[in-house]
Amino acid sequence: MMHRTRIKICGLTRAEDVAAAVTAGADAIGFVFYDKSPRYVTASAAAELIRTVPPFISTVGLFVNASAEEVGAVLEQAPLSLLQFHGDETPEQCAAIAQAVKRPFMRAARIGSSTTPEDLLEWEQDYRSASPFFTGLLLDTLVEQYGGSGKVFDWSLIPKELAPRVVLSGGLSVQNATDAVQRVRPHAVDISSGVEQAKGIKDAAKIAAFISAVHLADKA
């Protein structure tokens, strides 16, 4: 049976971009609640955007070193279905926040030149042991800022046994999507800057082309 790679479009700030992602067939859409990001949205703005999202599409909130109170304040306005921790949060901190707000979470693992396959397996086990709310790792490229770097890491670092459980991110684009999915076979892919015309402004044609490229890889 053919595996269908799930697709998340992240860093959405406009209603027309949400509509483009939904129409093209995205499984999840992401909102950035980190005020130093050019893709930052307020809780009230995200709430307005989430109202336009139909059933069975996950809404994901990206947080960077936020407190449980800060996450809870966002959730009071924006009913997110999944949290994405993208800062320096420890397994215990992620577990405490998820427990406090009663939401599942995934953890961004930022992969640099010194990262090993064993590190990834250990990180996954640490977070899984820490919390029943943990759903998996999102693999991104280690850069100075948090998220949306547009840079690719070495996919060969991903252990074969881990790949079917991860969300692959970091430097994905229309041009490399098919190759990435064919080589890694992740559970899902996550893209932000690769489908933009400007930071925080998505390109509907690029979103549709990216999703088509992922589907093409699934058929191979």
Side-chain angles (χ1 to χ4, degrees), residues 73-149:
V74 169
L75 288 169
E76 284 181 4
Q77 296 186 65
L80 302 164
S81 48
L82 181 68
L83 309 177
Q84 177 180 328
F85 294 126
H86 220 288
D88 306 303
E89 302 90 350
T90 65
E92 293 73 25
Q93 288 169 330
C94 290
I97 295 171
Q99 178 65 36
V101 301
K102 298 297 189 291
R103 287 295 194 284
F105 73 93
M106 60 181 173
R107 179 67 168 98
R110 303 168 70 218
I111 299 174
S113 58
S114 62
T115 306
T116 68
E118 291 73 26
D119 288 335
L120 297 178
L121 290 169
E122 184 177 342
W123 293 343
E124 184 197 41
Q125 183 55 48
D126 287 346
Y127 283 92
R128 195 170 300 285
S129 298
S131 174
F133 288 102
F134 174 70
T135 62
L137 294 177
L138 178 144
L139 307 184
D140 200 0
T141 309
L142 177 61
V143 291
E144 284 188 17
Q145 73 271 27
Y146 295 100
S149 69

Side-chain angles (χ1 to χ4, degrees), residues 2-212:
M2 184 183 77
H3 169 72
R4 184 174 76 79
T5 306
R6 270 53 178 181
I7 300 166
K8 172 172 168 268
I9 309 296
C10 194
L12 297 170
T13 63
R14 307 186 303 167
E16 55 263 47
D17 296 338
V18 172
V22 169
T23 299
D27 300 283
I29 55 177
F31 304 100
V32 177
F33 299 101
Y34 176 55
D35 61 9
K36 293 182 175 61
S37 169
R39 302 169 184 91
Y40 169 72
V41 290
T42 63
S44 59
E48 289 296 321
L49 295 173
I50 289 172
R51 287 193 185 99
T52 70
V53 179
F56 305 124
I57 296 179
S58 297
T59 53
V60 184
L62 186 156
F63 295 90
V64 176
N65 300 329
S67 66
E69 290 73 23
E70 289 168 330
V71 175
V74 169
L75 288 169
E76 284 181 4
Q77 296 186 65
L80 302 164
S81 48
L82 181 68
L83 309 177
Q84 177 180 328
F85 294 126
H86 220 288
D88 306 303
E89 302 90 350
T90 65
E92 293 73 25
Q93 288 169 330
C94 290
I97 295 171
Q99 178 65 36
V101 301
K102 298 297 189 291
R103 287 295 194 284
F105 73 93
M106 60 181 173
R107 179 67 168 98
R110 303 168 70 218
I111 299 174
S113 58
S114 62
T115 306
T116 68
E118 291 73 26
D119 288 335
L120 297 178
L121 290 169
E122 184 177 342
W123 293 343
E124 184 197 41
Q125 183 55 48
D126 287 346
Y127 283 92
R128 195 170 300 285
S129 298
S131 174
F133 288 102
F134 174 70
T135 62
L137 294 177
L138 178 144
L139 307 184
D140 200 0
T141 309
L142 177 61
V143 291
E144 284 188 17
Q145 73 271 27
Y146 295 100
S149 69
K151 298 182 183 300
V152 176
F153 64 88
D154 181 1
W155 299 330
S156 69
L157 290 171
I158 305 171
K160 293 294 184 188
E161 64 270 34
L162 179 63
R165 301 191 294 274
V166 302
V167 179
L168 180 64
S169 186
L172 296 181
S173 66
V174 175
Q175 289 73 32
N176 67 12
T178 300
D179 183 47
V181 171
Q182 286 179 339
R183 287 176 56 186
V184 178
R185 294 298 179 190
H187 173 70
V189 291
D190 183 323
I191 189 167
S192 182
S193 60
V195 289
E196 287 182 333
Q197 51 182 280
K199 287 186 177 182
I201 306 299
K202 302 306 188 207
D203 184 309
K206 287 182 179 179
I207 291 174
F210 177 78
I211 290 176
S212 293

